[in-house]
Amino acid sequence: MRHFGHIAPEVRQRLFHQEPCVFTAESPARMLSAALGATLYSPATRQRLAEDIVKQTGRGVVSMVLCLEDSIDDAEVAGAEENLVRQLRDLAERCPETELPLLFIRVRTPEQIPDLVERLGDAAWLLSGFVLPKFTEERGVPFLEALTAAEAASERRLFAMPVLESPELLYRESRVETLAGIFRAVDKYRDRVLALRLGVTDFCSSYGLRRAPDMTAYDVQIVASVIADVVNVLGRADGTGFTVTGPVWEYFRVQERMFKPQLRRSPFTPEAEDLRNALIEHDMDGLLREISLDRANGLLGKTCIHPSHVLPVHALSVVSREEYSDAQDILRPERGGGGVMRSAYTNKMNEVKPHRAWAERTLQRAEVFGVANEDIGFVELLAAGLTGQT
């Protein structure tokens, strides 16, 4: 699979200076954690789940979570498990050679992990891992132990994606120790932890809050403070950190606005004005702003609950030609001793040692999302992706 692989090769050649790389579920963990992109959640109760997975593959989705937790009623769990197993076994039979997204199951209890792997049998090859809810050291370690046991039994590499969403992480008096405990747990199982996911909806719930569609997670200060502390402890660029993904965007159509749209007209050509209007109508301007703030705050990828959110996440993850040029200059072997230089675009200072970690992460993102051509921005990427959807 590859990002933007659903659009025609000749279109990709026009869009990209360096095309996104091809990867598989067996690719190195470092590559997969960067390549997750927009991870689309789907309730495991859906009766056409197998068809949905195939359909979303044709729309550019590369990672999905099939949810047995908060997206379904407590009384539906047993039926959802049966449906999930049946749908995945059917999918494995119907699409043995088809490129499918990285598939994860969000469970409620540790016991579900080995049970589901056993029930899937030969179809377990479809799974890339499990999403672990309300993760703390105390609650999380049993999940990680269960995953390790299921991996050994199935002889299949399985990854964990813990969700950081517990009240202990939110409350000031317990946050430091909770973060320290989470780090101890995920560090011990580092080879199995693909990424850490933020459960901002649960954070807001602890205080009876819900952010409006014209506000981002970063406008809710109590949430922004948790994101900052999570990145501070768990997202460091010194080799101890993990990929931390952006929070979910809850909205996909706005009925009424209080504030002006946040999309300037200048990036949109007259031919693309309809695209701008559609983005605003479906509340994508707020989503685009939050995606930009995610990256500015050290997050990569995003939890998505609607297919329309996937392409904006991917379009804004593509590395610009200018970013790529700066990153390459900073990482030239002859620059190993440090120093400072004017960028090739003559509009900024590139300081080798302070900007090295940024440059390394930028080239990692360039590998999986590609590098846009000089005259290509997110508008062109978005338009091409929408045209290429099947």
Side-chain angles (χ1 to χ4, degrees), residues 194-372:
L194 189 62
L196 305 175
R197 312 200 72 90
L198 288 165
V200 165
T201 302
D202 281 55
F203 289 159
C204 290
S205 173
S206 295
Y207 288 89
L209 304 175
R210 185 175 190 177
R211 71 185 191 272
D214 44 13
M215 293 186 181
T216 71
Y218 302 93
D219 294 313
V220 183
Q221 290 301 301
I222 196 164
V223 169
S225 72
V226 182
I227 294 175
D229 286 346
V230 167
V231 174
N232 190 327
V233 175
L234 299 166
R236 299 178 186 180
D238 60 0
T240 67
F242 296 82
T243 294
V244 183
T245 65
V248 69
W249 182 258
E250 299 179 358
Y251 298 94
F252 42 90
R253 190 175 182 89
V254 173
Q255 302 301 321
E256 185 176 355
R257 285 181 174 272
M258 181 180 296
F259 301 110
K260 290 181 179 180
Q262 301 176 68
L263 279 180
R264 296 174 58 221
R265 291 183 181 274
S266 56
F268 294 84
T269 63
E271 294 79 10
E273 183 62 24
D274 287 345
L275 174 59
R276 177 179 181 272
N277 292 335
L279 290 171
I280 292 170
E281 179 184 355
H282 290 83
D283 193 41
M284 295 297 178
D285 54 327
L287 170 62
L288 291 169
R289 182 167 179 265
E290 185 165 284
I291 296 166
S292 299
L293 289 170
D294 286 342
R295 199 164 81 226
N297 284 277
L299 310 183
L300 181 61
K302 199 165 186 67
T303 295
C304 294
I305 47 83
H306 196 272
S308 64
H309 298 170
V310 171
L311 190 54
V313 174
H314 293 169
L316 282 176
S317 298
V318 174
V319 174
S320 71
R321 187 73 178 87
E322 182 174 343
E323 289 177 307
Y324 187 64
S325 172
D326 288 338
Q328 283 190 312
D329 283 348
I330 290 164
L331 295 177
R332 292 188 189 283
E334 63 269 23
R335 306 286 187 189
V340 64
M341 74 202 89
R342 183 174 63 174
S343 75
Y345 283 72
T346 69
N347 60 359
K348 72 178 75 64
M349 172 191 74
N350 286 331
E351 194 168 353
V352 174
K353 289 184 178 179
H355 290 143
R356 177 171 294 275
W358 168 86
E360 290 171 347
R361 287 188 171 185
T362 298
L363 292 190
Q364 182 184 33
R365 184 160 53 90
E367 182 180 16
V368 293
F369 289 102
V371 179

Side-chain angles (χ1 to χ4, degrees), residues 127-142:
L127 288 185
S128 289
F130 291 84
V131 175
L132 316 181
K134 299 170 178 59
F135 193 93
T136 62
E137 182 178 30
E138 181 180 2
R139 288 194 294 268
V141 169

